[in-house]
Amino acid sequence: MSRLIVISNRVSAGGGAQGGLAVALSAALREHGGIWFGWSGNETSEFTGHINMERIDGVTTATVDLEEQDIEEYYDGYANRTLWPLFHYRIDLAEYERSFADGYRRANERFAETALPLIEPDDLVWVQDYHMFPLGRELRARGVENRIGFFLHIPWPPRRLLATLPEARALTESLLAYDLIGFHTDEWLQSFGDYVSHELGGTIDDDGWLTVGERRLRLIACPVGIDAKEFAALAASEKARETFERVRVSAVGRTLIVGVDRLDYSKGLEERFLGYERFLTEHPEERKEVTLLQIAPPSRGTVDSYQRIRSNLEGLAGRINGAHAGLDWVPIRYVNQGYTRDMLAGVYRASKVGLVTPLRDGMNLVAKEYVAAQDPEDPGVLILSRFAGAAEQMPEALLVNPHSAEEISDALGRAIRMPREERIRRWRALMNGVEEQDVMWWSKRFTDALQDCQQPTCGTMERI
Ligand code: ADQ
């Protein structure tokens, strides 16, 4: 088996309160051996390219510090203010600045230069996500002939939205340097194919082979999963049981509805609160029988749109609680904190409804974690946005349009009243999918496909 070099913006091997992506990549690296390379998260006054190697929980990591200007232009700028909103269909929030695009190119050149000595001839190189679109091309420009794959964790936007980005064409062309590009769903893959065929004259065959001029590379839909066994075991752990009891006792017999999301405008939190408020208004008999526990740790706090969503949500939760709360009941408990994974598992298990309603999401791992943490004898109900990538694999959830307060309200009513047999039937089908297409399945499918790709023939590519 070839060694794996994973390259991503942040490196977070090890246990604790990690995101789903970190868990996925640590598992793949433990199996293959190799190195996880990326930004340390630290700032330095001048970029030196010094690599800090560590061994964390069976995974070798190599990290590099970035200069303040790189962090501002590449990370806060192009990645978080330009690409993230655009790729989540929010051109109203996307900021197009040449300095951001320049910083993005510079940081990717620096990553390529620094990672170069770590790559050995037989290694598979697996680049992750929208921070690093041009990295493959930068590695090729430095003579790397290894198989290089790229996986996109967020949606690929429709062609006409992408066209608003000044660097759209060059950015997409830079992706042709990879041998394999993975998307979570057919929908994102088709959006990419649509752009490439209309703007770059590419053709795609039935097996996903894309040809553009001299270049041939493969596109696959490969949905990421969770470590389902590990998560089910976490749900049975002492810490999860303790948390389950605490949360259950605090609900004093009420039905708990849970939302767990990074505080991000793509997650549809305002729309979710409005849907829940509608439910309270339309179902007065259920009032005081339910509580919404929304856990949303702040992220990307230096970006204005994130500060705005935080204060909007605080205002909305305050207004809804002010209008509906009684002496012994508040409708929304809104918590801005991160929790360890075993505690989260306990929270999911104590909640009879999992409310996962992003406006747009590449996949969404919370939906899968919620399912994996349930009690098989008495499982809760998953309400899932039809605009999350996860909806393609999870048709047995109650699928809703997250923009519609009425649909969220109806689904809440249905979930709360759902008979146990139906809950078990739906959960079993969901759990089978979560177990079968887990994170090991995902990484194996991607790395097998990458291994099968022919060695690249590198052409010259326009630079962004
Ligand atoms: P994210 O946008 O971060 O990931 P998601 O897939 O839901 O979204 O993963 C979030 C992770 O963070 C989950 O594992 C969750 O448990 C964890 N988390 C959330 N709130 C937490 C809290 N309060 N405490 C501790 N942990 C918390 C991006 C894409 C997704 C895609 C993933 C993986 O946006 O669409 O599913 O990458 O590809």
Side-chain angles (χ1 to χ4, degrees), residues 17-21 84 88 153-154 184 224 260-262 267 295 297 337-339 341 344 348 361-366 369:
Q18 314 180 76
L21 173 56
W84 177 272
H88 288 87
H153 290 267
I154 63 175
H184 284 308
V224 76
V260 174
D261 310 77
R262 267 186 317 99
K267 302 293 181 185
I295 301 179
Q337 213 183 310
Y339 290 95
R341 300 176 61 71
L344 271 190
Y348 290 139
D361 217 333
M363 171 52 60
N364 193 295
L365 294 177
V366 169
E369 291 168 359

Side-chain angles (χ1 to χ4, degrees), residues 235-254:
S237 68
E238 192 49 43
K239 191 78 189 164
R241 267 205 290 271
E242 247 175 52
T243 312
F244 172 89
E245 269 314 308
R246 265 176 66 194
V247 173
R248 212 177 53 93
V249 168
S250 75
V252 283
R254 297 186 183 101

Side-chain angles (χ1 to χ4, degrees), residues 32 40 50 62-63 78 85 89 99 166 169 193 294 298 349 374 398 435:
H32 280 261
S40 61
H50 170 76
T63 54
Y78 207 68
Y89 299 30
S99 62
R169 186 187 169 96
Q294 177 62 55
R349 200 176 174 104
Q374 295 307 301
L398 298 184
E435 280 176 331

Side-chain angles (χ1 to χ4, degrees), residues 356-357 367 381-402 407-408 410-411 414 426 430:
V356 183
T357 54
V381 179
L382 175 65
I383 298 177
L384 178 61
S385 162
R386 56 179 73 254
F387 303 135
E392 255 186 31
Q393 288 174 295
M394 305 181 96
E396 298 83 5
L398 298 184
L399 296 181
V400 293
N401 173 351
E407 283 197 26
I408 293 178
D410 290 352
R414 206 173 148 199
R426 285 174 181 272
L430 289 168

Side-chain angles (χ1 to χ4, degrees), residues 75-137:
Y75 181 69
D76 289 339
Y78 207 68
N80 287 341
R81 293 178 196 259
T82 307
L83 295 177
W84 177 272
L86 170 63
F87 278 60
H88 288 87
Y89 299 30
R90 295 296 301 269
I91 50 174
D92 57 319
L93 298 177
E95 297 173 40
Y96 299 151
E97 299 277 345
R98 285 196 185 126
S99 62
F100 292 173
D102 289 345
Y104 183 76
R105 179 176 52 232
R106 186 178 60 246
N108 271 280
E109 286 167 0
R110 288 178 163 176
F111 283 135
E113 196 65 37
T114 315
L116 200 60
L118 302 173
I119 301 172
E120 294 173 6
D122 283 335
D123 291 347
L124 296 178
V125 180
W126 188 4
V127 178
Q128 307 287 327
D129 228 358
Y130 62 102
H131 310 88
M132 306 222 160
F133 283 130
L135 191 78
R137 189 204 44 206

